[in-house]
Structure formats: structure tokens, C-alpha cells
Amino acid sequence: MVEIEIDKSSGFCFGVVNAIESAERELKKDESLYSLGDLVHNNLEMKRLKGAGLKTINHEELATLQNKTVLLRAHGEPPSTYLIARQNNIKIVDATCPVVLHLQKRIKDCYEDIKDTDAQLVIYGKKGHAEVNGLVGQTAGTAIVIEKMEDLERLDFQKEIILFSQTTKPLDGFGEIVETIKSRIAEGVQFRYFDTICRQVTNRLPKIKEFAAAHDLIYFVAGEQSSNGKFLFEECRKTNPNTIFISESSEIEKPMPDGVQKVGVCGATSTPKWLMEEVAERIRSLNS
């Protein structure tokens, strides 16, 4: 008999839960609700929300919208989005994660303090990511985004550097960036850095490694476009090479191989619990 366990620490983070609950509340009140970008990086969850009436738009479409209600997802938005909303009489339902909102304010305050100096405000994050776009927007587009070690060549180590991080970046990556800047910054030049990484997300890593190690085979469930999903999957697979990435239960077509007794189901911060439960049920049905 195959034993199946769903990882209790996997699934939506607080920010995503808040955004989805906000959407569901608004949809009960008004049939016309727009989301600026996908609310969550999971196609099946988006399909469910669209079935309830949610319409997804991009920034170009937002600029043409008038007198409508638009929900801002957990990633947050730059000031320009709020300006367009005011100009177009758009009602904003702001579901920006409180952790991201706090970081936006810190970066904006820092920018106001240094904008008339030659100090460099740097963000460790993924270029083009919605959260990073919102953070860069707090600096009138002047922040330097560092995604990997090679990007450090864009910095002037003779001038002050202030470093922040996207909330969902890995702690070890941030630490490497900090130590490299410390080793290269000119003598007497100030370097300030702030660990602004969300612990609810980063604490998933040790937990998911522990979960992976406790099972013969792991099904990691996430949307293919989820950055967090890709990262956690790779870390999960390092711990347990018998880790399989799937986006939906129908991808499981065969019973478990001989010798597999304990199967684990886990996922990203954008993976709904109902989907992991569906995967577990699919495994049961194929192995009953």
C-alpha cells in the first residue's frame, strides 16, 4: 500500500491568500473585476478565478480602461499605476502583500534621501519581475537591479552603495552579493545593505528539503511560469533525485514503481492546496 502525504508547509503564502480572498470578495459584489496581471502563477487557479468572473489585463489595457474596478496582486505596483487609475476613475482594490508594501516605502524613503547624491540604490532581484518593477518605480526608475554576480560590474565601487532585496530571493544568494560588494568596495566608501527577504517564503526551503528526504518519491506541483516553483523544485530534487515536476494531476499516468512506499506531494507559494489534494487523490486512484 502506497502512503501519500501532502506537505503542510507548501501552498499559498499569506500575500497570495490575501489577494485571492480579495478577488473572491469583490466578485461577489461586482461582476466586473479586473486583475492587473495573473493573480497567481498557476494556470489552474487562474482558470478557476476566471470562471468566477475575473478578467486579467496588462498595463497597456489598464491605460484604456475607464470607470472599472481593478485588483492589484500581491507583487505590488509602481506609482505610475496608481496615477493611471486616478486619471481613468478606476477603483483600486489593493492586494499588495504587506511585506512588499513595507519594502516599497523603505526604498522610496531611501531614494528621497539620496537622490541628490551620487549614491547607488541597488535591488537584488529578477529583472522584469512584477515586484521588482514596483520597487524600481519607487526610485523614478533609477535603481540598479542585480540578478546575478556578473551584474555587479554595473556598479561603481568608488561610490556609496545601498542594497535591498526582492522579498522572494534566496538568502544565500543575497549573502554572496553582500560579501562580494564588501570585498570590492573602495576603502572609506560606505556600503549599507538590508535583508528584506520574506521569511515565510525562505523558511519553506529547509522544510521542503526535510519533507523531500522523508519520502521515496516526490511530486512537486507548480505552474511552469512560477519562479518560486522552479527554485524550490530544484532544491527539492537536490535532496531527493526522485522528484518529479508536474502542473496538474493528469500528468500522472502510471502506478508507482516497485519499491516506492512513501510518496510526498509538495509545491510552490503559488500552488493551491486543492490542486495538491487532487494530485494525492490521483495517486491513490492509480495505486488502489
Side-chain angles (χ1 to χ4, degrees):
M1 186 70 177
V2 176
E3 180 186 333
I4 305 159
E5 183 183 7
I6 297 174
D7 179 25
K8 292 181 176 63
S9 70
S10 287
F12 292 155
C13 64
F14 168 78
V16 174
V17 170
N18 178 57
I20 288 174
E21 288 179 349
S22 297
E24 290 173 336
R25 266 195 313 271
E26 289 298 319
L27 287 166
K28 287 177 182 176
K29 295 189 294 185
D30 189 349
E31 292 180 0
S32 178
L33 178 65
Y34 297 83
S35 167
L36 186 52
D38 283 346
L39 210 53
V40 59
H41 295 310
N42 187 279
N43 290 338
L44 294 179
E45 179 65 4
M46 285 307 303
K47 183 178 179 181
R48 184 185 74 84
L49 291 168
K50 287 173 183 175
L54 184 68
K55 303 175 185 69
T56 303
I57 58 171
N58 58 32
H59 286 82
E60 289 73 25
E61 292 167 317
L62 176 73
T64 66
L65 214 58
Q66 300 278 341
N67 310 310
K68 298 293 183 181
T69 302
V70 175
L71 186 142
L72 304 185
R73 55 192 176 165
H75 296 310
E77 286 291 324
S80 57
T81 297
Y82 295 87
L83 177 60
I84 291 169
R86 287 194 297 272
Q87 291 171 340
N88 292 8
N89 195 34
I90 290 171
K91 175 191 170 186
I92 288 290
V93 178
D94 200 337
T96 303
C97 173
V99 177
V100 175
L101 274 178
H102 180 64
L103 177 54
Q104 285 185 347
K105 184 179 185 306
R106 289 183 68 179
I107 287 178
K108 181 176 176 59
D109 290 346
C110 178
Y111 168 69
E112 292 298 330
D113 287 342
I114 68 165
K115 66 181 180 181
D116 296 324
T117 73
D118 62 1
Q120 303 158 96
L121 197 158
V122 181
I123 297 169
Y124 171 53
K126 184 178 180 181
K127 295 171 187 173
H129 188 282
E131 181 190 327
V132 173
N133 290 344
L135 299 177
V136 173
Q138 309 305 316
T139 70
T142 62
I144 301 168
V145 178
I146 297 299
E147 188 170 349
K148 51 189 181 298
M149 207 64 76
E150 302 89 272
D151 294 334
L152 291 175
E153 299 308 319
R154 299 172 57 205
L155 303 184
D156 185 342
F157 294 96
Q158 303 295 320
K159 297 177 181 177
E160 181 182 357
I161 296 171
I162 305 109
L163 175 69
F164 294 90
S165 176
Q166 177 183 340
T167 61
T168 54
K169 292 297 283 182
L171 275 169
D172 56 354
F174 180 73
E176 288 176 13
I177 294 288
V178 167
E179 292 306 313
T180 303
I181 294 175
K182 279 182 178 178
S183 70
R184 296 184 62 179
I185 196 88
E187 188 175 350
V189 176
Q190 190 172 21
F191 169 42
R192 290 181 281 156
Y193 58 93
F194 303 96
D195 174 1
T196 51
I197 294 169
C198 175
R199 290 307 187 268
Q200 191 185 8
V201 174
T202 56
N203 286 346
R204 298 263 174 114
L205 183 54
K207 290 178 181 177
I208 212 164
K209 284 184 172 182
E210 184 180 338
F211 182 80
H215 295 82
D216 300 321
L217 186 144
I218 295 289
Y219 279 107
F220 188 95
V221 191
E224 291 182 357
Q225 72 273 45
S226 169
S227 298
N228 173 257
K230 290 173 185 174
F231 168 70
L232 286 178
F233 166 67
E234 289 301 336
E235 294 300 320
C236 194
R237 190 166 60 174
K238 287 177 187 176
T239 303
N240 185 340
N242 292 325
T243 298
I244 301 168
F245 187 102
I246 60 171
S247 295
E248 53 186 290
S249 60
S250 62
E251 293 175 46
I252 305 172
E253 299 176 340
K254 298 176 182 178
M256 293 302 101
D258 291 341
V260 173
Q261 295 181 323
K262 296 181 70 176
V263 178
V265 179
C266 56
T269 54
S270 55
T271 304
K273 286 286 187 186
W274 65 260
L275 180 54
M276 288 186 284
E277 289 165 358
E278 196 176 273
V279 167
E281 186 54 41
R282 174 71 172 171
I283 297 167
R284 286 190 195 96
S285 67
L286 287 171
N287 293 274
S288 57

